[in-house]
Amino acid sequence: MATENAENKALATTPLWIWVDPTDHCNLKCEYCYTKHSHGRRHMTPELFRAGMRWLEPVRSSIRVVHLNWRGEPLMSPYFEDLLRFYGDEWSGTPMHWHTNGLLLTRKRAEQIVAASPPHRLFVSIDGGTRESHERNRGVDTFRPALAGLRNLMKANGRDGPLSVGLYQIDFGVAPEDYDPEFAELAAEATEWIRVPAVEADGSEGAGPVPHDGACFWAGHALCMDSSGGVSICVLSRQQLGRVGDISKDSVFQVLERTAQWRRELTSAGRCGRMQCAGCKKRNGTPFANAA
């Protein structure tokens, strides 16, 4: 028992980044979506969300940020405002943020989100900077509605609202002087404007360096909880390949030991040592708060 407690104490000091999927349903099929192979129509119930957060409680002090989305569009969940309220009541001391494509942010929904929200960061994803570049990724007639959603959210939040409303842009190489005027206006008003390269399904990002054949940072530092309570090793997990446990069957320490063992195997045998990681080209970077 003493040995087990010591091991658990050591595991509890591992810095963790948590992804929780309120739903795996999405209203888009983006060209550069690395999770679209896992989309479905399941929603995480408020009861399961509360159980998942209780499951994480023993390692709460090691959690750097909770991402309240993963494989789906969070606003497709009929329970999303309930999840926000619970987080505000029980977990507001732990940083949280989430991303939305903005299409469902009507004036009414934006007001509901603001009313239910504890202080946190929220990003609306609008790509490229022009209608053409955005819709090449996200589909026809998605650019203006996304801009309208961002505007609705900013207006509902106002100057004193609980949200830090940011813009998350996949950079497709559009010159700033060619940005759509409305996009440029809203980008300037956002509290944060983050530009990133597109991430392919194999983890490759833009023209970056080829990663070394070993464990990337996220193996052992990420826990990704799906809408049914299954836990995976990283955001690029494909269904069962990356599964490391289930909150209804395993303790958080059992899952963390499996992720630690996974990392040890990648370090010693290379990425080919795990089918989920074989061929993955995710860079071996350092963590950052907006990691996705």
Side-chain angles (χ1 to χ4, degrees):
M1 180 64 70
T3 300
E4 180 180 349
N5 289 339
E7 291 174 350
N8 288 349
K9 187 175 181 179
L11 289 169
T13 63
T14 301
L16 295 172
W17 282 254
I18 308 297
W19 279 260
V20 179
D21 214 355
T23 179
D24 59 16
H25 191 18
C26 191
N27 53 345
L28 295 179
K29 294 183 179 179
C30 301
E31 181 69 22
Y32 287 96
C33 175
Y34 50 79
T35 66
K36 59 186 173 185
H37 55 271
S38 299
H39 287 169
R41 292 185 178 272
R42 297 172 301 178
H43 305 304
M44 179 178 283
T45 65
E47 293 76 20
L48 183 59
F49 180 70
R50 289 192 289 269
M53 299 312 293
R54 286 196 298 268
W55 184 81
L56 288 166
E57 188 67 44
V59 296
R60 181 172 179 171
S61 62
S62 295
I63 295 174
R64 299 297 185 261
V65 65
V66 173
H67 305 252
L68 202 54
N69 68 291
W70 176 23
R71 291 171 166 170
E73 162 56 48
L75 295 183
M76 294 294 286
S77 167
Y79 313 117
F80 192 65
E81 285 84 345
D82 293 331
L83 309 193
L84 289 175
R85 292 188 189 95
F86 173 81
Y87 201 95
D89 290 341
E90 304 292 337
W91 274 69
S92 59
T94 303
M96 179 268 286
H97 72 244
W98 52 283
H99 293 229
T100 174
N101 58 43
L103 299 187
L104 300 178
L105 282 171
T106 62
R107 290 181 182 179
K108 181 178 180 180
R109 192 72 190 274
E111 290 170 356
Q112 291 172 339
I113 291 295
V114 171
S117 289
H120 70 276
R121 300 156 70 203
L122 188 167
F123 294 92
V124 178
S125 299
I126 305 177
D127 302 329
T130 64
R131 176 176 179 175
E132 180 184 17
S133 58
H134 177 88
E135 294 189 355
R136 188 166 60 245
N137 178 36
R138 297 187 180 264
V140 177
D141 295 331
T142 58
F143 183 62
R144 293 298 168 194
L147 292 175
L150 176 56
R151 190 180 296 278
N152 287 338
L153 188 63
M154 288 178 168
K155 185 175 181 179
N157 192 54
R159 291 187 176 183
D160 302 317
L163 301 176
S164 172
V165 181
L167 172 64
Y168 198 86
Q169 175 192 3
I170 297 178
D171 187 355
F172 291 126
V174 177
E177 59 267 24
D178 294 329
Y179 285 162
D180 176 90
E182 186 180 8
F183 172 87
E185 173 200 343
L186 290 170
E189 293 178 12
T191 55
E192 294 181 75
W193 181 7
I194 296 173
R195 282 161 274 195
V196 298
V199 178
E200 304 281 357
D202 65 358
S204 57
E205 305 167 60
V210 176
H212 68 74
D213 183 27
C216 75
F217 174 82
W218 298 109
H221 292 283
L223 291 180
C224 304
M225 188 185 305
D226 67 30
S227 52
S228 298
V231 183
S232 295
I233 190 75
C234 80
V235 295
L236 297 176
S237 294
R238 292 180 176 270
Q239 303 296 349
Q240 294 298 318
L241 285 179
R243 185 67 66 92
V244 287
D246 189 294
I247 67 167
S248 67
K249 301 175 183 178
D250 308 295
S251 74
V252 68
F253 293 114
Q254 288 173 317
V255 170
L256 285 177
E257 176 50 42
R258 291 170 194 163
T259 65
Q261 177 59 30
W262 190 300
R263 184 172 185 84
R264 288 192 291 268
E265 291 178 11
L266 294 181
T267 301
S268 62
R271 296 192 180 191
C272 63
R274 285 279 187 167
M275 187 178 296
Q276 162 64 33
C277 300
C280 181
K281 298 178 181 177
K282 185 70 176 175
R283 293 181 195 171
N284 311 286
T286 55
F288 55 103
N290 300 312

